[in-house]
Amino acid sequence: MQTSAHAESPTLSRPAPPVAAGVARGRGASMAFPASLVVLVIVLVPILMLFRYSFEHFDPAQTAQAGFTLENYVKFFGDPYYRDVFLTTLWVAALCTVLALALGFPVAYFLAKTQSRHKSLLIILLVFPLLVGNVVRAAGWMIILGNAGAVNAVLVGLGLAAEPVKLLYTPLAVVIGTTAVVLPYFILTLQSVLEGIDFSVEEAARNLGADFFTTLRRVVLPIAAPGVAAGTVLVFILCMNAYATPVLLGGSGITMMAPALYDQITRGSNWPFGSALALVLVCATLLMALLSNWLIHRRYVKTMAS
């Protein structure tokens, strides 16, 4: 009996000693260090260079003069044109994020709950658009939204419009195209979180008399708040920095920050002002993303506490 008890002692389930845990953490940090260093060099170094360029003076003969001046930021905040470009970028990014949330949440909810044997095929169909470049997808939307495109053909054929409606090169075209680009990212991010939810709490709420929308609003949405926060932050960042879609679908009908700073650097060779635009875009994107993430998590904590 003593031998059997000794053989069955759970030696493998004992917690690791502090020294072993510290060694494991050290190994993990050492393995992550090369990738972190690469990310630091690729992301941080260009931002620091743009930060330095943004305080230089633009000289058409020399591209930039070394020194320190705030004229580029004064020009941005003092020029109504660039303020309108910045506000337009914020408006388009916020609207596309809301549309992605409204359109993507039902799809992610369905994929998380479905037990169909075709679930893998549905996810593959969802991932497939990500394999196509943004330029190709924007070109497809140009064909669909053009005067001779499918949308106008349907409108004229049904008698809803006497002549083709101008859809291309408008803010509406940019919103549609950008939402279509970011929608798969939001669905995949949210679906992975929803799959970790124990849907028995939803069934319990239904058994207690809550209808579908009450259960969705008071049970599912609060639990899914971290996934919603991650998805909205990701989508908002992508929308704020969109370039190909606004250029191809918006044309001269709408100007956003990414095309504006690209024109300053490539066409005008104004690196100082283009760097200032880039830093304003980066800072505004991070600030709005952190603010929305904080608001969603605050709502999540209050709901879970109550």
Side-chain angles (χ1 to χ4, degrees):
M1 295 296 292
Q2 293 179 353
T3 304
S4 176
H6 177 73
E8 295 178 0
S9 59
T11 55
L12 296 179
S13 63
R14 293 177 182 175
V19 177
V23 172
R25 286 194 297 267
R27 290 177 179 175
S30 62
M31 293 177 64
F33 178 76
S36 302
L37 182 61
V38 171
V39 172
L40 184 67
V41 172
I42 293 177
V43 175
L44 187 59
V45 171
I47 292 179
L48 292 177
M49 294 178 63
L50 290 176
F51 181 77
R52 181 176 67 85
Y53 290 155
S54 67
F55 292 102
E56 295 183 351
H57 173 71
F58 173 64
D59 184 357
Q62 301 179 5
T63 304
Q65 287 183 344
F68 183 85
T69 177
L70 297 176
E71 63 181 17
N72 298 305
Y73 294 98
V74 172
K75 178 181 178 181
F76 172 79
F77 291 104
D79 193 332
Y81 171 77
Y82 290 105
R83 289 204 306 268
D84 291 341
V85 170
F86 178 71
L87 294 177
T88 299
T89 304
L90 282 178
W91 172 77
V92 171
L95 181 58
C96 292
T97 302
V98 172
L99 290 176
L101 175 60
L103 298 175
F105 189 90
V107 179
Y109 182 77
F110 170 77
L111 289 176
K113 290 198 67 176
T114 184
Q115 301 295 329
S116 173
R117 58 192 180 98
H118 301 295
K119 181 177 180 178
S120 300
L121 177 61
L122 296 175
I123 295 178
I124 292 175
L125 293 176
L126 183 64
V127 175
F128 183 76
L130 302 179
L131 305 178
V132 182
N134 291 345
V135 175
V136 177
R137 281 186 280 180
W141 280 109
M142 292 177 67
I143 297 174
I144 295 174
L145 299 176
N147 290 338
V151 175
N152 274 306
V154 173
L155 293 176
V156 175
L158 296 177
L160 300 177
E163 57 183 13
V165 181
K166 181 177 176 56
L167 298 175
L168 195 58
Y169 307 128
T170 63
L172 177 61
V174 175
V175 171
I176 293 175
T178 306
T179 304
V181 169
V182 301
L183 189 58
Y185 293 101
F186 182 86
I187 295 175
L188 292 173
T189 302
L190 184 58
Q191 182 243 342
S192 62
V193 175
L194 289 176
E195 284 189 341
I197 295 178
D198 184 5
F199 287 102
S200 61
V201 296
E202 182 182 6
E203 297 176 0
R206 298 292 296 273
N207 292 333
L208 293 174
D211 57 19
F212 174 78
F213 292 102
T214 302
T215 304
L216 186 66
R217 178 174 57 88
R218 303 194 62 178
V219 177
V220 177
L221 282 177
I223 299 177
V228 173
T232 52
V233 168
L234 174 62
V235 167
F236 183 79
I237 291 174
L238 293 175
C239 294
M240 284 287 292
N241 295 274
Y243 174 78
T245 304
V247 169
L248 295 177
L249 297 183
S252 60
I254 181 174
T255 304
M256 296 178 64
M257 286 290 291
L261 70 90
Y262 178 82
D263 290 340
Q264 288 294 325
I265 292 177
T266 58
R267 296 182 181 179
S269 298
N270 192 344
W271 277 84
F273 187 59
S275 300
L277 292 179
L279 282 178
V280 169
L281 178 60
V282 170
C283 293
T285 302
L286 292 178
L287 181 62
M288 296 298 294
L290 292 175
L291 180 61
S292 62
N293 187 43
W294 176 76
L295 290 175
I296 294 176
H297 276 286
R298 183 183 179 186
R299 175 70 176 176
Y300 169 73
V301 171
K302 285 185 176 180
T303 304
M304 296 304 292
S306 60

